[in-house]
Amino acid sequence: MGCGATTSQPRRFELRPSLSTVPLLPFRRRPAMQDWPGLIEGYRKWLPVSSKTPVITLREGATPLIPAPTIAERIGRGVKVYLKYDGLNPTGSFKDRGMTMAISKAKEAGSEAVICASTGNTSAAAAAYARRGGMRAFVLIPDGYVAQGKLAQALLYGAEVLAVKGNFDRALAIVREVADQYPVTLVNSLNPYRLQGQKTAAFEVVDALGEAPDWLCIPVGNAGNISAYWMGFNEYKAAGHSRKLPRMMGFQAAGSAPLVLGHTVEQPDTIATAIRIGNPVNKENALKARAESNGDFMAVTDAEIIEAYKLLGAGEGVFCEPASAASVAGLIKRREEVPADSTVVCVLTGNGLKDPTTAIEHNDSKFHTGLDPVTATVAQVMGF
């Protein structure tokens, strides 16, 4: 689909039988891939769009909910754990959910340029969707504090990147002023259409499980995503798609935990760069989600984040960026409080390829170098 508006009616999207369910005819039938049109079309009736909205999409959404038996075994007591892996969105993070909405609505309003402040993921998504829609993208990043994979994306997508001396919170203050004074649309999570798009992740969780989970564990940086999930769970329950609401359990890095501490952190510091934010703009919505869901906020250390990060990779085969692992680190830290036989969903917000440096510096694998190109030598190192 191109960048123009579409008036097609929403369809029901189902996976058809794979070859494994078609005996004796392995070469006569092919598995049909799910014809997913992107989250705006997939959840059109739940979103503030019309026939006049030009849908700018990269077919985002429909990310997998992956069972996590290794983590579940650590929790014990019959608890089921799932990973909502939004790192499989087109630009590698959950930001694509909000950006398809924000950019589509900006295009509808006649905007020719967008701007955002970013620790990395927002800049990649904003650049990709803006360029897809034929718009200019300006991104402000804290100089020296953005993972290389994320910076590479923004540059390749054609964004105009401005690295400012200072942290994310200062960059956000600047872009808010620019958007107020000049003809450019702000696409940070202050933009209400961002959260509208991001709430669809909650819909997908309920659609996959058939019910809302008992706990939703989620990393918290600028606090937009936890607010969006809570919005989505409430809307689905009100429509009769679920019978209950989850406890919203938000986890922040210990060096960047304003919601846990109850005050702004002037110099946030954590290995989890995506949540290195000291003054979250959506804090009031997040506090409301915590209160209404009987949830909680808690800090996890960088060491706990890295331990969970490695467990996800080596134990579950899932490669996420460090900030994503905060949700699992938090679940493990609070495991004694999880009710027996309950269902927990941990949100993984970004792909591990966003930050390959951390993976190289923090792993327990053996890396044998300088070996002679001889079969016997290789076999000997392998233990044969």
Side-chain angles (χ1 to χ4, degrees):
M1 179 170 59
C3 300
T6 177
T7 57
S8 61
Q9 294 299 311
R11 293 168 287 163
R12 181 168 179 160
F13 301 94
E14 296 179 347
L15 283 171
R16 299 175 187 173
S18 68
L19 288 177
S20 63
T21 65
V22 186
L24 305 179
L25 296 173
F27 301 108
R28 296 184 184 179
R29 293 184 63 180
R30 296 180 180 179
M33 294 183 67
Q34 189 177 26
D35 186 18
W36 176 251
L39 65 84
I40 290 179
E41 292 300 340
Y43 291 105
R44 174 173 279 269
K45 72 176 184 177
W46 300 91
L47 298 169
V49 294
S50 71
S51 60
K52 297 180 180 179
T53 306
V55 178
I56 312 302
T57 181
L58 291 167
R59 303 297 178 97
E60 60 295 312
T63 56
L65 190 66
I66 305 172
T70 300
I71 297 170
E73 186 176 356
R74 285 213 180 183
I75 307 304
R77 302 189 312 284
V79 173
K80 296 180 287 293
V81 179
Y82 295 88
L83 309 171
K84 182 56 173 170
Y85 190 25
D86 255 1
L88 293 184
N89 274 300
T91 77
S93 89
F94 77 100
K95 303 288 187 177
D96 294 352
R97 293 184 180 275
M99 211 57 72
T100 185
M101 276 296 300
I103 299 298
S104 294
K105 296 300 287 187
K107 186 76 172 179
E108 181 181 0
S111 180
E112 296 181 356
V114 300
I115 191 169
C116 69
S118 180
T119 57
N121 285 330
T122 301
S123 66
Y129 282 83
R131 299 307 295 161
R132 178 82 169 176
M135 305 164 70
R136 296 178 71 187
F138 297 92
V139 299
L140 268 69
I141 62 173
D143 198 4
Y145 289 96
V146 172
Q148 286 189 337
K150 302 175 187 180
L151 179 58
Q153 285 182 280
L155 293 170
L156 188 64
Y157 292 139
E160 297 180 52
V161 179
L162 297 85
V164 298
K165 298 175 181 178
N167 59 26
F168 167 83
D169 300 297
R170 180 58 193 142
L172 181 59
I174 293 171
V175 299
R176 293 177 72 173
E177 293 172 3
V178 170
D180 284 341
Q181 298 173 29
Y182 300 95
V184 59
T185 300
L186 179 68
V187 292
N188 280 98
S189 57
L190 282 164
N191 183 316
Y193 297 119
R194 280 279 309 278
L195 301 194
Q196 287 289 324
Q198 287 168 217
K199 74 183 182 184
T200 60
F203 300 163
E204 291 178 14
V205 168
V206 176
D207 287 343
L209 293 176
E211 180 57 274
D214 297 291
W215 279 29
L216 191 285
C217 297
I218 187 168
V220 177
N222 223 9
N225 212 26
I226 190 171
S227 305
Y229 265 92
W230 186 237
M231 183 194 312
F233 284 127
N234 274 278
E235 289 185 11
Y236 244 34
K237 181 175 182 293
H241 291 290
S242 63
R243 298 182 300 276
K244 63 183 181 183
L245 294 168
R247 288 189 72 190
M248 303 297 288
M249 308 296 286
F251 297 100
Q252 296 193 291
S256 179
L259 293 175
V260 177
L261 298 171
H263 61 76
T264 298
V265 176
E266 296 296 340
Q267 297 296 329
D269 183 37
T270 173
I271 195 170
T273 56
I275 54 174
R276 186 189 283 158
I277 296 171
N279 187 23
V281 297
N282 289 289
K283 59 186 173 185
E284 295 304 324
N285 287 331
L287 290 169
K288 180 181 178 183
R290 179 182 67 175
E292 292 180 353
S293 71
N294 190 33
D296 202 4
F297 298 137
M298 189 176 191
V300 288
T301 66
D302 279 5
E304 290 167 334
I305 290 173
I306 291 299
E307 188 63 29
Y309 174 69
K310 293 191 292 185
L311 175 63
L312 281 160
E316 302 292 0
V318 176
F319 187 24
C320 66
E321 67 172 327
S324 296
S327 63
V328 173
L331 171 61
I332 292 172
K333 197 166 188 175
R334 301 288 291 265
R335 63 186 179 276
E336 298 302 328
E337 301 172 42
V338 182
D341 301 315
S342 59
T343 297
V344 178
V345 170
C346 292
V347 177
L348 304 184
T349 49
N351 196 295
L353 293 173
K354 295 275 192 172
D355 185 6
T357 301
T358 298
I360 292 170
E361 294 177 351
H362 297 275
N363 67 80
D364 297 326
S365 295
K366 295 179 180 178
F367 186 10
H368 303 282
T369 61
L371 299 179
D372 291 331
V374 178
T375 301
T377 300
V378 172
Q380 182 180 21
V381 172
M382 294 170 64
F384 296 113

